[in-house]
Amino acid sequence: MNVFITGGTSGIGLGLARRYLEKGCRVAVCGRDIRKVPAAPVYNELRLYQLDVYDKEALEKAVNDFAPDDLELMIVAAGNYSGSAVRKLTYEESMEMLNVNLIGAVNAIEVARKQMGERRSGHIVAIASMAGLLHYPTATIYSKSKRALIQVCDAYRRTLAGFGVTVTTVIPGCVDTQKLRDINNNDLSRKWFVVKEEDAVNRIIQAIEAKKESIIFPLRMRLLTGLTSVLPYKWISYIMLKRAQWMEKQ
């Protein structure tokens, strides 16, 4: 199987790349800095492409170089996060999240859709976030970009259903990746229901193999998010702001 993973040079993307390599698949990843991929024997056969996902021309060129007409699985794992609940984001930070989390994701889906739709076969997987399930006016740009991605995936799923292309949306809570540790100074003690990276990779692969429309995990975080979503907007905004302020002080 030919597998292409955006944002596959670290975190969940790299974890998925490793698992598919171990399964004997042909795997390619792209990212801004391919030097982040460890120099380990397991990655000897991994194809590396250095590019920005919001450069659609470069992304399409990489995908076509790797699998000219037989891409079978596209995993959209590239993501960008800047905390914005307690401070005003810069224009550059805001655009970076939109470029990667939304425009870059749509680019990857479109590149895969074009090839898979013509062949009437393939699977597109996009990794969103539990933050995208929180809907209230003062939600962060990160949350809103991930919410938009969830809706985009739903639209593509409905559109491609009759063309043999499966679309799976992955909606995880906090996953214990190096990026999350870097953002939180290596202290995840105040994060809710953190999932180990290997566990997240296992859940995602199971969902792909079962061709699920979506997967949301962990269950406790899903239940908490569902409970929060029924509260008045003012309550949600207040709770999330206070939590962000508490986190900022730690």
Side-chain angles (χ1 to χ4, degrees):
M1 180 166 65
N2 293 325
V3 183
F4 195 99
I5 305 174
T6 69
T9 57
S10 63
I12 295 175
L14 183 60
L16 288 166
R18 176 170 184 152
R19 287 293 299 277
Y20 279 111
L21 285 168
E22 292 172 344
K23 288 174 175 286
C25 300
R26 291 184 68 244
V27 184
V29 301
C30 71
R32 289 177 175 171
D33 186 1
I34 59 177
R35 294 172 300 178
K36 292 192 295 185
V37 177
V42 68
Y43 301 118
N44 286 347
E45 300 301 318
L46 182 63
R47 295 282 295 275
L48 304 172
Y49 295 91
Q50 187 158 306
L51 56 88
D52 287 323
V53 288
Y54 50 81
D55 184 344
K56 185 180 179 183
E57 183 177 347
L59 178 59
E60 187 166 26
K61 182 178 179 180
V63 171
N64 289 335
D65 176 73
F66 170 67
D69 56 12
D70 56 353
L71 178 66
E72 295 165 88
L73 175 60
M74 167 67 85
I75 300 178
V76 185
N80 180 273
Y81 171 82
S82 290
S84 59
V86 295
R87 67 178 179 88
K88 185 176 181 179
L89 287 176
T90 65
Y91 172 80
E92 289 75 18
E93 288 175 319
S94 299
M95 288 308 303
E96 187 69 11
M97 280 191 284
L98 292 176
N99 279 332
V100 177
N101 298 344
L102 192 52
I103 297 174
V106 172
N107 284 345
I109 294 171
E110 265 296 289
V111 169
R113 188 276 311 165
K114 182 178 179 181
Q115 186 184 123
M116 294 176 180
E118 293 177 354
R119 202 174 66 249
R120 303 183 75 86
S121 175
H123 197 157
I124 299 170
V125 179
I127 299 179
S129 168
M130 196 86 73
L133 299 180
L134 291 170
H135 177 50
Y136 58 104
T138 59
T140 64
I141 291 177
Y142 176 79
S143 296
K144 290 183 180 296
S145 67
K146 290 298 187 178
R147 184 174 183 83
L149 177 57
I150 292 170
Q151 297 301 316
V152 165
C153 288
D154 185 59
Y156 272 97
R157 182 181 303 110
R158 291 172 181 270
T159 301
L160 298 175
F163 294 88
V165 180
T166 301
V167 178
T168 297
T169 312
V170 178
I171 309 174
C174 291
V175 179
D176 187 0
T177 62
Q178 187 58 51
K179 180 182 292 186
L180 186 66
R181 287 185 171 274
D182 291 342
I183 293 172
N184 292 276
N185 298 315
N186 207 39
D187 181 11
L188 303 184
S189 61
R190 291 175 176 80
K191 289 294 182 181
W192 294 339
F193 314 124
V194 179
V195 175
K196 293 294 184 182
E197 184 178 304
E198 183 177 358
D199 183 27
V201 168
N202 288 336
R203 291 170 186 252
I204 294 169
I205 288 179
Q206 289 171 5
I208 293 172
E209 291 178 346
K211 294 188 175 181
K212 290 187 176 182
E213 290 188 357
S214 64
I215 176 175
I216 306 174
F217 64 88
L219 178 59
R220 289 182 296 174
M221 189 66 182
R222 178 181 182 181
L223 293 175
L224 179 61
T225 302
L227 176 63
T228 304
S229 66
V230 302
L231 297 175
Y233 285 162
K234 288 185 178 180
W235 291 18
I236 303 174
S237 297
Y238 178 80
I239 292 170
M240 297 305 292
L241 177 60
K242 288 300 181 182
R243 180 175 183 274
Q245 291 173 335
W246 174 68
M247 292 289 294
E248 190 77 8
K249 292 178 181 178
Q250 306 307 314

